[in-house]
Amino acid sequence: MARQQWASRTVFILAAVGSAVGLGNVWRFPYLAGKYGGGAFLVPYLIALVAVGIPLLMLEFAVGQKMQQGAIGSYKKLNPSFGSLGIFAIISAFIIVSYYAVVMAWCLLYFLASFGVKWSDDAKGYFYDNVLQITEGIDKLGGINFPIVFSLLLVWISVYFCVWKGTKSVGKVVLYSVPLPVILMALLLIRGVTLPGFLDGWVFYLNPQWSALIDPEVWTAAFTQIFFTLSLAFGTMIAYGSYKNSEDDIAKDTWITALLNSAISLFAGFVVFAVLGYMATQTSTPVEELAASGPGLAFVVFPEALSLMPFAGLFSLLFFLMLLSLGIDSAFSIVEALNAAILDVWQHWKIAQLSLWICVATFVAGIIYTTRAGLYFLDIADHFITNYNGILVAIFQSILVGWVYGAEKLRRYINEVSDWKLGKWWNILIKYFIPVVLATLLATQLSKDLRIPYEGYPGWALGIGWSLVVVPLTVFLLLLFRDWNKIRSRSPQSS
Ligand code: PHE
């Protein structure tokens, strides 16, 4: 059976942009920019984009496109011992999407609650006590919260119908799911700039604080953000690259994907801070006290700001529809990473069948986050997966391509098919710069986590977090050594 392919280059770019542009662009980038030096944050951000993000994205597109396989098969073709790196990547992808979908389930509940702006009296209480019904600590599970489970089920049914026919269905969905949130963002921006106080928000967002640049934390934040926002190291971009034709251009598509993603992040910042500026004026609170990231922004601060404006219900509806449409293509890109990786190894599976099993398994795995202590578990899983698994996979991936397979070999392939030629600098980035930068990030985070228990969670809970890192890492390393030895012990006889 012929391997599936994208219908056109535009569809591929839309799918890649859809994966990259997600909740991270709205609830993380603006916050980081505001907190870490305003306009000055763009300096480390752009350096991280050009020195790490784009070269790695190019690597992943190229690996997928050249090998025409998902993560496991591609790594294996780069070097027969490295197939298990793909297993590490997709286990991590599985964990990410299991909680990413839960956040979308909250968005869906808020979308429905928008009709009556149900949080208008007390946005914080509404989120924590009504929607999550959160327990006082992670050791109290509090049972399953059924509205969230139903909502999660709906999210998974939608995701399933996006991926069930592989690139055919994904290709159709991204025609809508990528432009839609941008249009909604534009509408919210128009609303924002017609409200008093929006400029105060923008001043806070962009006013450069150059002194921030000497703070190492700012640099770590920039590199981590670039990494997550470009969907790197979870097999996603390899899978998407593998559905291209092996003669397609790589360099240009990479730049287009990465620049569109960052442009949408910047744009989202204008929306978020216009609305926060308005809220600051209405409540006489400084903007910096309102700036929040993650669930705090999307489900508490922003809804409260929306409830203060005329036509609150309508704009809340638009906002949560925007989050849903932002999230869905990121979520199904992760399912595609699993799909591609597994289909290439076990070819007897049908796409529709395999997708169904993946969606069911991820739904079931996500049930832990729908308990009344779910937010705590989600916070822990997110912390460990994004700070460790992604970075670890990327380090090994750079070593695999840079040293084992040969950066020069892959560079030559990229140059053969691309109009814009890559210089030798790319090899240097992949072989030296990126592994060193990522290892530094990893070491910084590790020393912090070993000194201070993350968010003060109890040891057993953090133990679960660590096991999400250590178990797949160990599986990968054991299989790597096994295969490495097997191949080495065979080679003297064959020569
Ligand atoms: N890039 C997505 C976001 O910013 C998240 C994501 C991570 C998607 C990893 C796929 C893989 O929200």
Side-chain angles (χ1 to χ4, degrees), residues 19-25 96 100 225 228-232 234 236 261 330-331 333-334:
S19 171
V21 179
L23 300 171
N25 298 56
I96 285 209
Y100 204 86
Q225 172 63 9
F228 187 72
T229 193
L230 287 176
S231 309
L232 294 170
F234 295 105
T236 305
N261 173 59
S330 300
S333 73
I334 307 181

Side-chain angles (χ1 to χ4, degrees), residues 142-411:
I144 288 174
N145 187 333
F146 282 98
I148 300 182
V149 177
F150 287 127
S151 178
L152 183 63
L153 185 64
L154 286 179
V155 168
W156 276 113
I157 292 174
S158 326
V159 170
Y160 175 68
F161 285 109
C162 294
V163 295
W164 72 316
K165 291 192 178 160
T167 49
K168 258 200 226 129
S169 48
V170 166
K172 281 190 196 129
V173 176
V174 293
L175 296 179
Y176 303 94
S177 67
V178 178
L180 179 68
V182 181
I183 295 169
L184 294 171
M185 237 177 239
L187 290 176
L188 288 165
L189 184 70
I190 296 171
R191 173 71 283 201
V193 299
T194 48
L195 290 166
F198 77 91
L199 265 182
D200 299 343
W202 285 6
V203 167
F204 178 74
Y205 174 36
L206 291 180
N207 184 25
Q209 238 101 58
W210 297 108
S211 58
L213 295 185
I214 50 171
D215 181 359
E217 205 180 304
V218 175
W219 289 84
T220 354
F223 279 90
T224 321
Q225 172 63 9
I226 281 297
F227 205 80
F228 187 72
T229 193
L230 287 176
S231 309
L232 294 170
F234 295 105
T236 305
M237 293 310 197
I238 295 184
Y240 275 10
S242 77
Y243 299 141
K244 294 173 83 192
N245 192 304
S246 54
E247 265 99 64
D248 285 348
D249 190 286
I250 292 172
K252 232 186 264 175
D253 290 6
T254 309
W255 280 92
I256 296 175
T257 307
L259 293 181
L260 276 176
N261 173 59
S262 292
I264 295 174
S265 285
L266 262 176
F267 187 40
F270 282 105
V271 178
V272 168
F273 279 101
V275 172
L276 293 188
Y278 163 71
M279 183 174 170
T281 322
Q282 297 298 301
T283 57
S284 317
T285 330
V287 180
E288 56 263 48
E289 276 175 36
L290 298 175
S293 81
L297 176 79
F299 300 106
V300 179
V301 180
F302 214 84
E304 186 174 344
L306 290 165
S307 72
L308 299 175
M309 54 177 77
F311 303 110
L314 172 69
F315 287 102
S316 305
L317 213 69
L318 297 184
F319 175 68
F320 288 107
L321 184 60
M322 176 186 88
L323 290 184
L324 280 168
S325 56
L326 276 173
I328 193 151
D329 33 28
S330 300
F332 68 61
S333 73
I334 307 181
V335 176
E336 270 307 311
L338 291 156
N339 241 342
I342 297 173
L343 269 176
D344 291 327
V345 181
W346 290 282
Q347 294 184 349
H348 60 277
W349 279 96
K350 297 236 168 15
I351 299 175
Q353 232 174 15
L354 178 64
S355 308
L356 181 68
W357 283 113
I358 292 175
C359 291
V360 170
T362 339
F363 167 70
V364 172
I367 288 180
I368 179 76
Y369 310 112
T370 68
T371 60
R372 291 181 175 79
L375 179 63
Y376 305 124
F377 284 102
L378 196 151
D379 187 29
I380 290 177
D382 181 52
H383 175 77
F384 284 95
I385 296 286
T386 51
N387 285 305
Y388 294 100
N389 295 39
I391 307 283
L392 279 165
V393 171
I395 293 175
F396 285 113
Q397 186 179 256
S398 310
I399 294 173
L400 168 61
V401 171
W403 296 91
V404 183
Y405 177 77
E408 178 59 18
K409 227 158 79 191
L410 197 64
R411 186 180 76 98

Side-chain angles (χ1 to χ4, degrees), residues 116-148:
V117 203
K118 295 222 175 101
W119 54 84
S120 54
D121 296 334
D122 171 17
K124 200 167 173 189
Y126 183 79
F127 180 54
Y128 292 107
D129 303 331
N130 273 20
V131 176
L132 300 183
Q133 301 174 358
I134 197 160
T135 57
E136 55 285 18
I138 192 163
D139 25 24
K140 268 229 179 78
L141 215 52
I144 288 174
N145 187 333
F146 282 98
I148 300 182

Side-chain angles (χ1 to χ4, degrees), residues 72 75 81-89 472 475-477 479-480 483:
I72 300 177
Y75 290 141
S81 317
F82 272 83
S84 52
L85 181 57
I87 299 178
F88 189 10
V475 169
F476 155 59
L477 290 175
L479 292 175
L480 173 71
D483 294 345

